[in-house]
Amino acid sequence: MRLSQSFFPTLKEIPSDAQIPSHQLMMRAGLMRPLAAGIYSFLPLGFRVLQKIMNIIREEMNAIGGQEFHLPALNPIELWEETGRVKAFGDILFQIKNRPLVLAPTHEEIICHIAKNHIKSYKELPQIWYQIQTKFRNEPRPRSGVLRGRQFTMKDAYSLDYTWEGLDKSYALHEEAYKKIFTRCGLKFFIVGASSGAMGGSGSQEFLLESAEGGEDSAVVCDNCGYAANLEVAVSNAPRVERLPESKKREQLFTPNIKTIKQLSEFLRVETTRLAKSLVYNVAGKPTLILMCGTDQLNEAKLMRELGGEFRAYSDEELFDLTGADAGSIGPIGLKNFQIIADKRLEQSNELISGANKNDFHIAHIDLERDISVSKYADLRIVETGELCTHCGKELRIINAIELGHIFKLGTKYADAMHATVLNEEGKELPIIMGSYGIGVERIAACHIEQNHDVNGIIWDKALAPFLVHLISVNAENENVIVASNKLYEQLTSEKIEVIFDDRVGVSPGFKFKDADLLGMPLQLIVGDRNLKQGNVEIKIRKTGERTILPVEKAYDFIAKF
Ligand code: ATP
Ligand code: MG
C-alpha cells in the first residue's frame, strides 16, 4: 500500500476525550474514528488489524471442529421473551421501534432455535457452532474507546451436547483454543474462575488482562505462583483472631456517638481485629446476623454462595424493630430468632467487642464458643492487597483487569426454556446441554496496544500488525531513492510480504519517521540518499529500536528471516 494514495488520517494531538493509551493511539494512528458514543468506524489500517485477529480466531476455532455461521443481528423479540431475557437484559437490549425485533447482544436464543428445529437425534451431537459478528448492547457507560462499545464484533461459539461429560469436553476444547488465540495475539493474559465439579453445568472462566487504567474488573493475583481469581471468589490466608487464654466476664460499655469500627477502636484503644462487626440481612424471610472481623469487608458473592440464594438488606426501621438498635450498635448477644453466620477469621475466638443492641452501648469480653450459637463459619471476606497466598504464602496483589473472553457451561437453561431436545437410543427426550464462549475482537486490538506501545506510538506484534514492513523513502524527490525504494516495494510485495510504502513527496524525513513510529509496524525499511550511495539501506526494528545497515540486495533476506 502506498501512503501517497491511502487514507490514513493521523493526529498529532491526543484527542481530549481519550483517557487510556490504546484509545489515544487508535485515534492518533488513524485506525478508527468515533461516530457516536460507543460507536466507531474502523478505517482501512484498523480494519486490517481486526481481520488479522478474526483470522487467528477462525483458525483456532476451526481446529477444534468449530463450524462457522453467520446469524442475523435482527432477531424476533418472541425468541428473547421465551428465555426471559428481554427482562434480564433490560435497557441493554436494543429494541426496534416499528417492528417486534431486537438487535442481538449475543446469540444463545438463535442457536437454540436452530438446534431445536433441525437436530433430532443424539447421533447428530456434539456440535460446535460459532460466528464472528457484530453485537449490539446499549451499554449505560461506553468508555475507553472500543473497550466498551455499544456496537462491537464478537466471536461467539456454542457447544451442543447431550451428556455432561460431553459438555466438559467441549468446554475444555474451547479453553485450549482460547489460550492459543490470546497467545498468538501476543497478549499476556491470565485465567480466573472455577471449573464446575463432576456434574458440570455451571463452570465458567474469564480470560483477563491486567490494566490499571482500562480495567473494569477486579482480580487477585499472586506474582509468585500464578494464582489468579476474581475478587468475588478470591481467597487468602488472613490470620485467625487469636483465642486468648482467659475469657473474662461480659461487660457493657458506654460508647456515645460511636458509629464505625475505626471510631470504636480509637475510643476504646483496642485493635480493630478484636471488634466484631455485625451486618443483618433478610435471608428467605429469616433475620440473619453476619459477624465480620474489624474492618474486613463482606464479599456479597461469597455470602450468596454460602446462603445458596438471594438475601436483602433491611431498612433502618426494620433493623431497629428487629434488634432494638441502629446499625452501629447491633451485636450477636441477646438476639432472638436470628441465625448467626461468622467469618472464618473469628472461629473459636474470644475477648471480642460488639454492639449491645442498644444505641451507644457495646459489649466487651464476648466468647463466641461460650456466648453465642454460630450456625456456620465461612470465608466471607474480600481479599485485600498484601494478604498472603494460600498456595505459596507470598503476597497477593489486587489489580484492575479487562475481560478478553469468557467461557461458560450453560447447561440446559436454554434448552429447557425453548424445549430443544434430542432423542436418545431408547427414544427418550433429552435436553440439549449447551456451552457458550465469547471473545471481543476490538478488545483484543485495544488490549494489544495497552500492552505494546511507547511514547512514540504503537508497537505491533507480527501477528496483528496491519503491515509487516514500513518502507520509507527518506528523500522521495531523489531519483536514486525513488528507483531503489520502488524496486524494494515491488520485490517485497511480489513475495507476499505486507508493506506500507511511505512514498510521499514533500514530506520531511523527520515527519515520516514520526509517522512510522506512531503506526508501529514491526520493521522499518529506510531508503535514504546517503546510505544508498554505498549501496545500503537501513532496517529498524520498532520494538527494540535496533538498527542495521545492510546492502540493498540483503534486505529481503533479513525481512524474510524476521
Ligand atoms: P463485560 O463484563 O466486560 O461487560 P460481558 O460479561 O458482558 O463483559 P460477554 O457477554 O461474556 O461479556 O461477551 C463476551 C466478550 O465480548 C467479552 O469477554 C468481551 O471481550 C466482549 N464484550 C462484551 N461487551 C463488550 C462491549 N460493550 N464492548 C466491547 N466488547 C465487549
Ligand atoms: Mg457486559
Side-chain angles (χ1 to χ4, degrees):
M1 193 173 97
R2 288 172 185 271
L3 275 190
S4 62
Q5 294 155 24
S6 312
F7 179 59
F8 78 112
T10 54
L11 297 174
K12 262 197 242 108
E13 306 295 328
I14 297 172
S16 60
D17 63 331
Q19 308 293 334
I20 67 168
S22 60
H23 187 188
Q24 295 169 353
L25 286 168
M26 288 175 90
M27 290 294 299
R28 285 190 53 214
L31 304 185
M32 63 177 198
R33 284 293 179 266
L35 181 65
I39 307 175
Y40 287 86
S41 305
F42 269 79
L43 311 186
L45 219 51
F47 189 53
R48 284 181 78 97
V49 175
L50 297 189
Q51 281 175 311
K52 301 244 160 151
I53 296 168
M54 293 190 278
N55 282 336
I56 291 174
I57 294 175
R58 192 170 277 127
E59 283 173 18
E60 297 302 336
M61 287 306 299
N62 292 344
I64 61 166
Q67 303 160 74
E68 189 167 2
F69 280 56
H70 184 66
L71 303 172
L74 276 174
N75 293 179
I77 197 165
E78 301 96 79
L79 288 180
W80 286 80
E81 299 280 12
E82 266 183 50
T83 56
R85 288 219 291 181
V86 174
K87 187 152 173 263
F89 267 99
D91 205 34
I92 303 259
L93 187 68
F94 280 111
Q95 301 200 20
I96 305 293
K97 250 188 177 165
N98 56 352
R99 285 222 181 254
L101 296 171
V102 300
L103 283 172
T106 173
H107 274 88
E108 281 82 3
E109 278 76 0
I110 309 310
I111 291 287
C112 203
H113 177 76
I114 296 173
K116 169 191 169 161
N117 288 323
H118 304 291
I119 291 192
K120 301 289 170 210
S121 158
Y122 76 99
K123 287 185 195 148
E124 295 163 80
L125 298 180
Q127 294 281 326
I128 293 174
W129 296 350
Y130 79 97
Q131 61 169 342
I132 302 174
Q133 192 237 26
T134 306
K135 297 284 187 271
F136 300 88
R137 294 184 182 183
N138 188 20
E139 299 278 359
R141 275 176 302 280
R143 62 186 287 267
S144 308
V146 292
L147 277 181
R148 183 168 298 285
R150 290 197 168 130
Q151 165 170 349
F152 60 96
T153 317
M154 196 201 287
K155 187 288 297 174
D156 45 326
Y158 306 87
S159 61
L160 310 173
D161 282 275
Y162 66 98
T163 63
W164 294 101
E165 295 73 37
L167 172 63
D168 288 346
K169 252 189 215 157
S170 300
Y171 182 91
L173 284 174
H174 281 87
E175 183 181 346
E176 287 313 308
Y178 274 41
K179 284 184 196 161
K180 288 188 184 146
I181 289 167
F182 296 129
T183 303
R184 284 182 65 185
C185 289
L187 300 173
K188 292 189 245 356
F189 63 95
F190 58 96
I191 305 173
V192 301
S195 304
S196 68
M199 274 307 290
S202 66
S204 110
Q205 280 164 298
E206 287 171 356
F207 291 72
L208 300 180
L209 178 128
E210 178 170 0
S211 167
E213 293 162 289
E216 291 187 63
D217 289 358
S218 298
V220 175
V221 296
C222 174
D223 294 324
N224 184 54
C225 73
Y227 168 74
N230 244 317
L231 191 56
E232 288 196 340
V233 297
V235 292
S236 69
N237 257 342
R240 286 256 187 97
V241 176
E242 192 196 351
R243 183 169 180 88
L244 299 177
E246 189 197 354
S247 286
K248 296 193 182 129
K249 193 162 172 289
R250 285 207 309 268
E251 181 189 349
Q252 187 165 293
L253 307 172
F254 182 47
T255 52
N257 288 321
I258 302 288
K259 304 276 179 246
T260 66
I261 291 289
K262 195 162 162 279
Q263 289 167 343
L264 189 62
S265 152
E266 281 162 11
F267 181 77
L268 298 174
R269 295 172 193 274
V270 174
E271 276 180 48
T272 54
T273 43
R274 290 271 156 209
L275 306 176
K277 176 167 67 181
S278 298
L279 306 162
V280 180
Y281 290 100
N282 178 338
V283 181
K286 188 162 181 60
T288 301
L289 186 114
I290 313 293
L291 267 188
M292 301 288 301
C293 178
T295 51
D296 285 0
Q297 295 299 311
L298 174 71
N299 184 325
E300 295 202 347
K302 287 183 180 176
L303 180 62
M304 184 105 95
R305 273 193 303 279
E306 283 304 324
L307 299 173
E310 296 287 327
F311 56 90
R312 71 166 180 89
Y314 287 108
S315 69
D316 291 349
E317 295 77 42
E318 286 175 310
L319 264 188
F320 193 88
D321 286 346
L322 282 165
T323 66
D326 293 326
S329 302
I330 294 171
I333 302 286
L335 286 179
K336 293 205 177 61
N337 301 321
F338 264 74
Q339 80 170 321
I340 298 177
I341 300 177
D343 183 73
K344 263 200 147 47
R345 286 187 78 184
L346 293 170
E347 200 161 0
Q348 293 171 354
S349 61
N350 63 349
E351 290 301 294
L352 300 174
I353 299 170
S354 194
N357 298 316
K358 185 157 107 182
N359 280 355
D360 295 336
F361 286 91
H362 280 80
I363 292 180
H365 311 300
I366 298 174
D367 180 342
L368 292 192
E369 303 273 275
R370 177 190 69 189
D371 304 332
I372 301 166
S373 138
V374 176
S375 58
K376 193 185 223 174
Y377 287 95
D379 172 25
L380 298 173
R381 46 194 302 285
I382 296 179
V383 170
E384 282 176 29
T385 289
E387 289 176 3
L388 304 184
C389 176
T390 54
H391 299 271
C392 71
K394 291 284 178 343
E395 280 194 14
L396 296 169
R397 277 194 308 135
I398 298 186
I399 59 161
N400 293 334
I402 301 169
E403 180 190 314
L404 290 164
H406 194 180
I407 56 178
F408 199 70
K409 291 181 182 174
L410 296 173
T412 61
K413 179 178 164 186
Y414 292 89
D416 290 342
M418 300 181 76
H419 311 290
T421 57
V422 288
L423 298 178
N424 72 1
E425 272 172 313
E426 289 99 47
K428 192 175 156 236
E429 279 198 350
L430 300 176
I432 295 178
I433 301 169
M434 282 173 67
S436 100
Y437 315 88
I439 293 183
V441 175
E442 290 89 343
R443 264 195 205 177
I444 291 185
C447 285
H448 184 277
I449 296 173
E450 283 298 314
Q451 286 188 336
N452 299 283
H453 68 270
D454 61 15
V455 287
N456 299 319
I458 303 172
I459 305 173
W460 290 113
D461 241 58
K462 267 179 287 190
L464 300 200
F467 295 89
L468 177 68
V469 180
H470 193 125
L471 171 62
I472 303 166
S473 60
V474 179
N475 348 75
E477 299 78 13
N478 178 301
E479 193 53 38
N480 289 339
V481 170
I482 296 174
V483 172
S485 50
N486 271 295
K487 213 170 138 204
L488 278 168
Y489 179 62
E490 302 303 337
Q491 184 197 5
L492 292 171
T493 4
S494 71
E495 296 289 347
K496 301 269 183 294
I497 290 173
E498 294 174 312
V499 186
I500 188 167
F501 179 17
D502 193 346
D503 59 342
R504 290 175 295 176
V505 177
V507 176
S508 78
F511 207 87
K512 289 188 175 185
F513 295 141
K514 273 216 163 71
D515 268 350
D517 278 354
L518 174 63
L519 300 189
M521 306 318 158
L523 291 177
Q524 295 173 14
L525 174 54
I526 303 158
V527 184
D529 191 25
R530 220 175 321 137
N531 277 327
L532 210 53
K533 285 204 176 109
Q534 267 83 53
N536 289 336
V537 290
E538 187 179 351
I539 294 182
K540 174 180 152 185
I541 299 177
R542 172 69 178 93
K543 191 170 194 155
T544 58
E546 196 185 321
R547 291 169 182 273
T548 311
I549 292 175
L550 72 179
V552 184
E553 57 282 1
K554 290 269 164 35
Y556 168 74
D557 286 345
F558 184 104
I559 292 165
K561 203 162 147 229
F562 182 84

